[in-house]
Amino acid sequence: PKALCIRQLTKTYKNGLEALKGIDLDVEPGDFFALLGPNGAGKSTTISIIASLVNKSSGSVSIFGHDLDRELYAAKRCLGLVPQEFNFNTFEPVQEILVNQAGYYGIPRKAAWKRAEKYLVELGLWDKRKDMARTLSGGMKRRLMIARALVHEPRLLILDEPTAGVDIEIRRSMWQFLKDINQQGCTIILTTHYLEEAENLCRNIAIIDHGQIIENTSIKGLLTQL
Ligand code: ADP
Ligand code: ADP
C-alpha cells in the first residue's frame, strides 16, 4: 500500500472557512516528500487531519493501507508526528518523556529506554537527558519532539515546519538526521514554506495554495520548470 493516500479531502472550520477544498495526495513508501505552500495554504490542517487531531469534513485518508475511519489505531501506530508548536509544561525530565511516550504504545520500559537512549545520542540530547524539557533551548525542544515521534518506530514520520526558527548549524544537523532515517526506510513528509529545505531533502513535492494542490511532481521536475 501507499504510505499515505488522501482522496477528496475537505475541511471547513466552524467559522465557515474552507481550509481544504478537495485534495488528493499519494506518497509512496520510502519517499521523502514535501508539502510546500505559503502561510494559510492548508498545510497544518492537512497534517492535523492525518494525525487525527482535527476532524475532516469529507474525503478519506489512509496510512499504509489503514483507513483513518475504519482502522484508527493501526493507522496511528504507523505514524509519528512532529507538530510545529509544542509546550512542555510538566516537570518531566527529557528521558522520561521518551520512555513514557513509548509506554503509550505498549513498549516495555526496558526496550523503551534502549530506544530513548539511541535517539538521545543521535539527536545530540544525551547530556540533557536528566534536564527538565521546559529548560531546553528551542532547537533542543524540537529535536526532543523528533525523538518523541520516533520512539515507537513509525513507518511514516510527518514534520510540520521542522526547522522554522532553528539556527543554521542545528538546521543542517537536523537535515542530516532526517536523511539518515529516510535511508533506513522511514517515509518522511514535511511541510515547509521554504523551497531550499524541500530542494535539499525531498524527492517529491506537492504545492498547496488556498486549500488546493496546485502542483504535484518530483523536485527535479519542479526545478526544471522554474
Ligand atoms: P473543528 O471544526 O475541528 O472542531 P473549530 O472550528 O472548533 O475546529 O476550531 C478549533 C479551535 O481553533 C477553536 O478553539 C478556535 O478558536 C481556534 N481557531 C479559530 N480560528 C482559528 C485560526 N484562524 N487559526 C487557528 N486557530 C483558530
Ligand atoms: P498553513 O499550515 O499552510 O499555514 P493552516 O492549515 O494552518 O495553513 O490554515 C489554513 C486556513 O485555515 C487559514 O486560513 C487559517 O487561518 C485557517 N484555520 C486554521 N485553523 C483554523 C481553525 N481552528 N478555525 C478556523 N480557521 C482555521
Side-chain angles (χ1 to χ4, degrees), residues 26 30 32 73 83 91 105 107 114 125 131 142 144 158 161 175 177 190 198 206 212 217:
D26 286 302
F32 203 138
Y73 182 74
F91 289 89
Y105 291 92
I107 298 159
K114 276 252 168 274
L125 292 169
D131 292 11
R142 213 174 276 265
L144 173 57
I158 299 187
E161 300 272 359
W175 282 353
F177 176 80
L190 58 80
Q212 286 176 308
T217 181

Side-chain angles (χ1 to χ4, degrees), residues 13-15 17-19 37-46 84 160 208:
Y13 283 104
K14 283 185 189 119
N15 61 4
L17 192 129
E18 281 185 78
N39 281 326
K43 303 183 296 297
S44 293
T45 300
T46 304
Q84 197 176 340
D160 197 0
I208 184 168

Side-chain angles (χ1 to χ4, degrees), residues 76-77 79-82 94-120 123 143-157 177 181 186:
K76 275 189 159 179
R77 278 208 59 99
L79 177 70
L81 175 72
V82 183
V94 164
Q95 61 190 20
E96 284 301 311
I97 287 178
L98 299 182
V99 172
N100 290 340
Q101 178 72 10
Y104 297 138
Y105 291 92
I107 298 159
R109 218 178 151 78
K110 207 169 161 191
W113 174 241
K114 276 252 168 274
R115 288 187 189 181
E117 195 175 86
K118 174 179 156 206
Y119 290 119
L120 287 170
L123 285 159
R143 282 177 281 149
L144 173 57
M145 289 301 289
I146 295 176
R148 196 178 80 147
L150 288 171
V151 284
H152 65 294
E153 306 201 320
R155 298 166 76 187
L156 173 62
L157 179 68
F177 176 80
I181 60 166
C186 185

Side-chain angles (χ1 to χ4, degrees), residues 12 30 43 50 56 68 71 86 105 118 172 182 201 209 224:
T12 303
K43 303 183 296 297
I50 298 167
K56 61 187 163 59
L68 281 191
E71 295 181 88
F86 36 85
Y105 291 92
K118 174 179 156 206
R172 292 225 174 89
N182 177 245
L201 291 172
D209 194 21
T224 55

